[in-house]
Amino acid sequence: MSEITDLDSLRRAIAANGEQPEGPARNARAEQLLAEAERLNIPLGVIEALGHQLTVYNYSSEKDKMFVPFARLLRMWDERPEDFDEYEAHSLHWAFKWMSAGMLGQPHIPLASIEKWLGEMERRYRLAGYSERAVRSAEFSVAWHIGDLERAERAYAAWLAADRDRMADCHACELHDQGWWQAERGRDAEALELWRPVLDGEFSCAHEPHAVLGTSLLPLLRLGRLDEARAHHLRGIRLVRQMESMRSTYAEHVEFCALTGNEARALELLAQRPAYFTDDGHPRGKLDFLAVVALLMDRLVELGMGEQPVPGPAGRDWTARELAAHARTEASALAARFDERNGSSHVGERTRARMAQRPLVDRLPLGVRTTRSAAPAPAPAPRVPAEPAAPQTADLSALIAEARRLSDTLQPNAVEAWAAVARAAQGVELDARDRAEIADHEAMSRGPEGAALFERAAELYAEAGDPGEALAARARAAYVRALAGDVEGARAAVAEPYERVLALYAEGGTGVRQTASVVMARARILMRPVHLADGPVDLEVLSAAERAAREVLALVEGRTGDDVRLTTRAAEARAMLAEIAARTGDPHTAVELFERAAAEYAGAGVPWFAVEYEARLAGLAYHLGDPERAERALRAALEHGGAHLEAAGRAQLHLQLAEVLGGLDRVEEAARHALEAAHWADEAKEGPALGAWARQQLGGLLLRQGRWAEAAEVLESALLELSVETHGDGAVVQTRWWLGDCLSELGEHRAAAEHRLRAAEIARHWPEQQDHATLAHLAAESLSRAGLHEEADRAYARACDLWRSLDSVHGLVRATRARAWLALRTEAGPQAARELMRSAVAECEKARDRADDEVARQRFVAELGHTHRQFGDLLAGVATGAEGGVSRAGLEEALARMEQAIAAFALLGPNALHERTGAELAAGWLAADLGRSAEAERRARDVLAAYRAQPGGRGVRGAGAGEDLPQLRCAEAERLLDVLGRQPEG
C-alpha cells in the first residue's frame, strides 16, 4: 500500500526528496510522487508534485525534461487558476526564468520559440503586476548568447534600472551574473567588487557562492591575485563536487587547474565525474565541459604526455591525444549546432578561444596532494663554454682556465665545467695535471661510486709532480668509502695519506691547502658515525671526531687569506664542533658555532654551503626557546641556498619555517611556507612522506584562520598519504581531529563524526586518555547534530566513562547534560532526561564540596549554575510540550531550577553577570507563564538595574560574552515588561 495517503503525506515526501542529492535517483522519485499525486486526485497536490518535478529536473543534468511539467502547469493555470495557492502561483511565474535559460541551453529549440517565450514571460509578468527586472535579465542572457552585444548592453542597463520585486533572482544570483558580464567585458576588478558580498557570505543561496567561486578563478589569475584564486578553488570545488547540475562550474575548476600547472589535479577532477562526459540533458553545460577537456588534453600533449592514459567517456580506454581529438570534435559540433540555431558565430568563436587558452601561471601550488604531469623545465644551467666541434688549443686552454677558476672558488658548477673540458679534449693530448683534475672532478660527480677514479686522479697528480694533491685525492677516495657505509675501511684507508701529508707538510714538500684537504677528509670520516647515529654516540667516537676537527682549525686558522678553500675548511670544522657540542648536551655552544660557520661560508662567497648548518642552527634555537633566532636562520638558509637548493631541501626549510612562524602566531605567513613545503615536496617526489607532513601542517594553519573549506580539502588530501608507520599515530589522530573540526563548521556532521570516531579509536590505545575522552565527546556532538541520536547517546555514554576515569568533573557533567537533551529525542524520554540532569547536578555539588581551593570551587559553582539553568530549560520544554496542554507543575519545577541557577551565579559576583541575568530573564518568562506578573516584573527590572549599575550604564559592552550582550539582555527585559503591560523606568 502506498505511503502517500493525503496531501500532508505527499508534502512530507516531496520535502524529503528535495533534501536528497541532485541526480537521476531524485528525479525518478519525483516522477513517482507525481503519479501518487495523480492517484490522490487533489488538484493542488498534482500542482505541487509537478512543481517539484520541474525543480529537480532544473537542478540536474536532465534539464531537457523540465519543459513538459512546465507546459502542463501553465495549461492548468490558464484553465483553473483557482487551483493554485499563492505559493504555487508564484512558483509558476518564477519558472518562466528557468524556461528561458533552459531553452537557450537546448540547440534544437528554435530561436524564434525562445523569443516567443520571452515575450510571453513579459506579458504574463505584466498581468501579474511584476517588475520588468527578471524579464530584462532573461533578455540579457538571450542577447549575449547569440552575440548581439548592443542588445545585451541595453537589456543589462534595463535590468539594473528596473525595481527589484518578488520575481527578481536572489541577490547572490544577480550579483553573479552582473559580475560575469563585467569580466566578459574585460573589467575583472569591477567583477570581483560586485561578487564581494557573495564571497563574503552576505548573500547566498542553494548554488551561491558555489558559482561565483568558480567564475572568479580566471579574473583573479588575470589580476595576479593568486592566493585568492587558490582559496576560491579549494572552497569552490568542495561545494560543487556533489552537485550534478553544476557541470559548467565544475568545468571552470578543471580549466583553472589546466591553466596553472596543475594538470594532474585536473585529471583527478575529470575522474571524479565520469558522467559529465556523456550526460546529454543540458547540451550547453556539456559544451562547456568538453571545451575544457580539450584544453586540458592539448596541454598534456604539449607537455609531451600525449600517450598518457586519461579518464574519458566510459566504454574504452583513452590517451590524452585521443581524448583531445574527441573532445575538440564533440565541442566544435555542439558549438556549430548552437550557432546554426542562433544565426551567428558567437558560440563557436568563444568555444575555440576557450580551447586555445595559454597557461596564466606556470605553476600555482594548491597545497593538496598531486603529482606534476610532466617534469618542470630545468633551471638554466650555469653558462659553460660550448663544446667546440674541432677543439683548438686556445679554446681548450680557456675552458681549462675557467674550470680551474670555478673549482678554486668552489662554485656549484665546477664539476660540469670540468666535464665540458673532458668532452672538448677528446683526441687532444693533455698534460698529467689537466688529466688529474678531469678525473678528480668526474670522481666527485659519482659520489660513493667515485673511489676508483679518485685513485686514478692520485696517480696523475703524482705524475704531475704534486704529491700533496695526490695524497688529497687518496683521502677523498677513502671518504667516499665511508659514504658507501664502510666507515672502518675508510679509517684504515685514510691513515697512510694522513701520516704522509703531515710529514710532507712539515718538510715543506706541500702546501697548507693540500694538507688541509687530507686532514679534513679524515675528520669527515671520523664524523661519519656521529652523523649516522640515531641515539647517543660513544664518547670515544665523539672525542676522536672533536680532535680531528680541532686539528683542521689549528692547521688553517690564520692562514686562510683570500683562499676560499681554506676558509671553508675552517667553517666546516667549526660546524663539526657544533654538531659534537649538540651531541654532548651543550646546545648553546652548538648554536654559536653553527652561526659562526654559516657566517664564514657567506663571507667567503659560497653561501650555499651554509644552508645545512643554518637549518641545524634553527632547530637548536627553536628547541632553546629562541624562535626569532630560528626564523632568521631559516630565512638565511632559503636565501643562501637560492637556485642551488634541491627540491627536498627547500621543502624541509619551508616546513621548518612554517612551524616556527606558527609558534609565533604568525599564522598566515606560516601557511604560505607550509604551502611552499607541500609544493616542493611534490616536486621532489616525496609527497607520501614529506608532502603529507606539509599538507597536515598547512591544513592546521588554515583551520586556525577559520578557512574551514580550504583546510578540509588539504587535510583530506593529507590523509590519503599519512600513515601510522611513516608519520606516527599522533599525526594521524591530529589530522582527523582537525578535519572533524572543519567538517563540523561546514555542517558536514556525519563525516565529522566519522573522523572523530576513527581518531578516538587510535587514541584509545594511548596511556594518557585525555585525548580519547575529548574525541569521544566531540564525536558524540557530531552524531547528535547529524540526527543520529541513538549513536550519539552511546558515544556520550562512552565519553562519560572516560571523563569519570580521568576524574574530570566538567567533562562528565557536560556529557551527562548532553545525554539528557538527547533522551527527549529517543525512546528514553523525559523521565530519563530528568534522571540524567539530576545526576549532573549531583556531580557538580559533590565536586564543589570537595574542592581543594577557592578557584576550583568557583569553577564547580559555575558548572552547577549552568546545569541548573539547562535543567530548567529542559523541564520548561517538556512542560510546554506536554500532552493535554501546558503542565503547570512542570513550569513550577522549571522555575525552581532557574532560581537555583540564579543563586549559583550570584555567588560568583560580577564575573557571572551575564549568566545570572540570562537565568533571571528565563525565570521571568516562566513566572509570566504561571501568571505571576509581579515576580516577572521584578526579575525584568532586576536585569535592567544590574546593567545600569555597570560602568557606562546600559551601553556597557560585555567583555568576553559578546559585545552586544548587555543590550540584548536589556532589550529582552523591556520586551518582558511590555508583555506584562508595564513600562520600563527611565
Side-chain angles (χ1 to χ4, degrees):
M1 185 174 178
S2 172
E3 60 181 7
I4 309 298
T5 57
D6 54 23
L7 185 58
D8 285 342
S9 59
L10 174 66
R11 286 171 169 169
R12 287 194 297 271
I14 288 174
N17 194 47
E19 295 297 318
Q20 297 304 305
E22 296 176 354
R26 187 171 74 157
N27 294 357
R29 176 59 176 156
E31 292 162 5
Q32 293 173 358
L33 290 174
L34 176 59
E36 295 282 1
E38 289 170 334
R39 186 186 59 78
L40 289 177
N41 197 27
I42 300 173
L44 183 57
V46 174
I47 290 167
E48 291 183 9
L50 282 167
H52 175 62
Q53 189 181 75
L54 173 59
T55 299
V56 299
Y57 284 154
N58 183 57
Y59 292 113
S60 77
S61 62
E62 297 180 306
K63 290 180 185 289
D64 55 333
K65 291 184 176 182
M66 67 182 177
F67 303 109
V68 171
F70 178 74
R72 185 175 172 188
L73 279 168
L74 194 59
R75 185 174 66 254
M76 293 174 72
W77 169 261
D78 288 339
E79 292 173 354
R80 291 181 56 86
E82 64 272 16
D83 289 343
F84 289 70
D85 62 15
E86 182 180 359
Y87 178 82
E88 292 304 328
H90 175 272
S91 297
L92 174 65
H93 285 82
W94 185 273
F96 266 99
K97 298 184 295 182
W98 295 350
M99 293 304 104
S100 174
M103 289 178 178
L104 279 179
Q106 304 289 336
H108 69 278
I109 298 179
L111 185 60
S113 297
I114 297 172
E115 295 284 8
K116 177 184 175 183
W117 272 103
L118 186 61
E120 183 70 8
M121 176 182 176
E122 182 173 8
R123 183 182 72 82
R124 288 180 179 264
Y125 274 34
R126 188 184 305 113
L127 289 173
Y130 294 125
S131 160
E132 283 192 349
R133 192 175 182 93
V135 177
R136 299 285 78 85
S137 173
E139 182 187 8
F140 162 77
S141 298
V142 172
W144 168 247
H145 177 70
I146 65 177
D148 188 342
L149 300 187
E150 290 185 7
R151 183 185 179 192
E153 288 282 14
R154 290 196 305 272
Y156 183 83
W159 167 21
L160 268 59
D163 292 335
R164 277 190 58 81
D165 64 355
R166 294 177 60 216
M167 206 48 61
D169 281 342
C170 75
H171 280 291
C173 289
E174 281 206 334
L175 289 173
H176 170 252
D177 291 345
Q178 291 164 17
W180 173 84
W181 174 243
Q182 298 303 320
E184 287 292 324
R185 306 301 284 163
R187 299 187 283 264
D188 290 334
E190 290 87 340
L192 287 159
E193 184 58 29
L194 279 167
W195 289 328
R196 183 186 52 76
V198 182
L199 295 169
D200 290 348
E202 184 179 346
F203 301 123
S204 63
C205 68
H207 283 183
E208 293 294 354
H210 315 43
V212 163
L213 286 165
T215 309
S216 68
L217 293 171
L218 297 196
L220 285 168
L221 290 177
R222 290 193 292 262
L223 290 171
R225 292 161 60 173
L226 305 185
D227 289 341
E228 292 174 77
R230 176 192 304 109
H232 286 199
H233 169 64
L234 294 177
R235 283 178 61 196
I237 196 63
R238 186 169 195 85
L239 291 172
V240 302
R241 186 177 279 126
Q242 302 304 320
M243 300 190 74
E244 185 193 56
S245 65
M246 301 197 76
R247 175 164 51 179
S248 293
T249 301
Y250 197 88
E252 289 172 331
H253 287 275
V254 177
E255 180 179 37
F256 164 81
C257 292
L259 298 176
T260 57
N262 288 288
E263 299 86 6
R265 177 161 173 84
L267 290 174
E268 291 173 3
L269 296 181
L270 293 188
Q272 290 170 12
R273 296 310 303 246
Y276 278 171
F277 287 100
T278 53
D279 283 344
D280 292 323
H282 189 229
R284 190 172 175 184
K286 185 177 182 181
L287 171 58
D288 288 337
F289 185 75
L290 290 174
V292 166
V293 170
L295 167 71
L296 172 61
M297 295 305 132
D298 284 347
R299 179 69 182 143
L300 292 175
V301 172
E302 184 179 340
L303 289 169
M305 307 193 71
E307 305 313 310
Q308 174 177 317
V310 294
R316 56 161 290 185
D317 295 330
W318 296 90
T319 66
R321 194 182 311 279
E322 291 167 342
L323 186 56
H326 170 80
R328 182 173 296 277
T329 300
E330 290 282 306
S332 298
L334 268 174
R337 288 177 60 198
F338 279 107
D339 282 344
E340 182 180 4
R341 187 272 303 274
N342 298 339
S344 71
S345 60
H346 184 65
V347 174
E349 289 170 359
R350 284 176 50 78
T351 300
R352 287 187 289 276
R354 191 172 198 179
M355 294 189 292
Q357 290 177 100
R358 303 300 303 155
L360 294 171
V361 180
D362 177 60
R363 176 68 160 163
L364 178 61
L366 301 177
V368 292
R369 182 184 71 110
T370 189
T371 53
R372 192 170 176 89
S373 299
R383 193 175 185 281
V384 177
E387 176 185 345
Q392 301 295 318
T393 303
D395 295 336
L396 185 56
S397 296
L399 280 174
I400 292 171
E402 174 65 5
R404 194 162 285 145
R405 182 190 69 79
L406 293 173
S407 57
D408 283 347
T409 55
L410 298 179
Q411 298 303 303
N413 50 336
V415 170
E416 289 82 357
W418 280 106
V421 169
R423 291 192 299 271
Q426 291 179 10
V428 176
E429 186 66 32
L430 296 177
D431 63 29
R433 177 74 192 197
D434 295 338
R435 286 182 285 133
E437 291 185 80
I438 290 172
D440 205 359
H441 285 85
E442 185 181 349
M444 293 177 194
S445 71
R446 296 192 181 184
E449 287 77 42
L453 268 174
F454 277 128
E455 295 289 357
R456 174 59 181 155
E459 295 171 2
L460 291 167
Y461 281 126
E463 182 183 333
D466 191 343
E469 201 60 58
L471 292 170
R474 289 183 59 197
R476 288 192 282 275
Y479 177 53
V480 298
R481 291 182 66 176
L483 291 177
D486 183 10
V487 177
E488 288 304 313
R491 290 179 64 173
V494 82
E496 182 192 355
Y498 170 70
E499 296 293 343
R500 286 183 58 190
V501 83
L502 290 180
L504 194 63
Y505 178 62
E507 298 167 357
T510 192
V512 66
R513 177 190 280 195
Q514 290 79 9
T515 307
S517 183
V518 177
V519 176
M520 177 53 79
R522 178 174 177 270
R524 288 172 177 169
I525 291 168
L526 294 175
M527 279 294 295
R528 191 67 182 156
V530 179
H531 290 141
L532 291 174
D534 290 330
V537 183
D538 186 82
L539 286 178
E540 188 175 332
V541 172
L542 288 169
S543 296
E546 181 179 359
R547 288 194 299 272
R550 292 194 183 282
E551 184 178 20
V552 174
L553 279 176
L555 177 64
V556 302
E557 280 198 306
R559 301 182 179 88
T560 57
D562 294 331
D563 191 317
V564 175
R565 286 179 179 268
L566 291 180
T567 302
T568 60
R569 299 295 186 214
E572 185 177 355
R574 229 176 295 281
M576 289 177 175
L577 293 174
E579 185 65 46
I580 292 166
R583 289 281 187 166
T584 54
D586 187 4
H588 293 282
T589 297
V591 165
E592 298 300 329
L593 287 169
F594 275 132
E595 201 161 54
R596 185 172 174 187
E600 287 174 331
Y601 279 123
V606 287
W608 45 87
F609 286 120
V611 172
E612 176 185 353
Y613 307 119
E614 284 162 334
R616 286 285 288 126
L617 162 62
L620 287 168
Y622 193 64
H623 177 73
L624 291 171
D626 190 354
E628 290 79 9
R629 195 175 198 173
E631 180 191 352
R632 288 194 301 273
L634 290 166
R635 291 191 186 281
L638 284 166
E639 179 185 351
H640 289 155
H644 307 299
L645 268 177
E646 293 185 353
R650 193 178 297 275
Q652 288 279 10
L653 290 172
H654 279 295
L655 190 55
Q656 276 185 270
L657 189 50
E659 181 181 0
V660 170
L661 293 169
L664 291 169
D665 209 29
R666 288 154 58 184
V667 182
E668 289 187 26
E669 193 176 0
R672 288 196 293 271
H673 285 283
L675 177 67
E676 287 294 317
H679 162 63
W680 289 109
D682 287 340
E683 291 293 311
K685 294 183 170 52
E686 291 197 13
L690 184 57
W693 272 121
R695 277 181 268 281
Q696 194 243 18
Q697 290 300 305
L698 175 59
L701 291 162
L702 291 169
L703 179 146
R704 287 171 63 181
Q705 298 174 65
R707 296 161 65 174
W708 315 114
E710 296 167 65
E713 282 290 301
V714 171
L715 291 169
E716 286 174 345
S717 181
L719 274 177
L720 295 173
E721 293 173 325
L722 277 174
S723 68
V724 170
E725 295 74 21
T726 302
H727 304 92
D729 54 4
V732 176
V733 167
Q734 182 64 83
T735 306
R736 291 197 181 278
W737 193 327
W738 281 338
L739 184 52
D741 291 347
C742 292
L743 296 173
S744 179
E745 292 288 344
L746 294 169
E748 299 177 37
H749 299 300
R750 188 183 290 262
E754 178 185 349
H755 286 290
R756 287 168 166 175
L757 287 169
R758 293 180 68 175
E761 182 58 26
I762 297 173
R764 182 169 69 88
H765 303 286
W766 292 354
E768 171 54 54
Q769 289 289 284
Q770 179 73 29
D771 287 340
H772 182 199
T774 304
L775 284 162
H777 196 130
L778 290 171
E781 285 183 6
S782 294
L783 290 165
S784 177
R785 291 177 181 176
L788 302 171
H789 301 136
E790 298 289 350
E791 294 89 338
D793 183 65
R794 288 195 294 273
Y796 273 125
R798 176 185 178 187
C800 285
D801 292 340
L802 290 165
W803 290 130
R804 186 176 284 105
S805 71
L806 291 167
D807 198 25
S808 174
V809 174
H810 298 286
L812 172 60
V813 167
R814 291 167 190 177
T816 303
R817 290 197 308 242
R819 290 192 69 198
W821 286 105
L822 276 172
L824 298 180
R825 304 176 186 178
T826 65
E827 294 181 359
Q831 187 55 41
R834 283 189 175 87
E835 290 304 319
L836 286 163
M837 279 295 186
R838 289 193 186 100
S839 171
V841 168
E843 292 290 347
C844 290
E845 291 174 338
K846 184 168 60 175
R848 176 200 61 192
D849 295 341
R850 71 183 185 191
D852 295 331
D853 58 71
E854 184 59 21
V855 172
R857 193 187 75 80
Q858 290 204 0
R859 288 182 62 216
F860 291 128
V861 169
E863 199 69 76
L864 178 60
H866 287 297
T867 304
H868 280 307
R869 169 65 199 268
Q870 287 200 32
F871 201 169
D873 287 337
L874 182 146
L875 292 169
V878 171
T880 54
E883 291 184 10
V886 175
S887 166
R888 185 176 181 83
L891 293 180
E892 294 277 7
E893 189 181 0
L895 180 56
R897 289 293 174 182
M898 289 300 177
E899 289 170 342
Q900 289 175 287
I902 294 165
F905 291 136
L907 292 173
L908 302 175
N911 291 333
L913 172 63
H914 304 305
E915 289 80 0
R916 180 172 66 80
T917 56
E920 194 83 65
L921 285 168
W925 288 108
L926 287 168
D929 289 341
L930 288 165
R932 301 176 186 175
S933 299
E935 178 184 346
E937 179 183 357
R938 173 178 58 80
R939 294 188 183 281
R941 296 196 188 281
D942 283 349
V943 170
L944 292 172
Y947 284 113
R948 286 169 180 158
Q950 297 297 305
R954 217 182 122 176
V956 67
R957 289 182 178 272
E963 290 187 346
D964 297 322
L965 193 51
Q967 290 90 329
L968 292 172
R969 289 276 196 268
C970 290
E972 185 179 353
E974 290 174 356
R975 191 162 63 252
L976 176 55
L977 289 172
D978 184 60
V979 168
L980 296 169
R982 309 293 198 271
Q983 292 296 319
E985 296 174 0

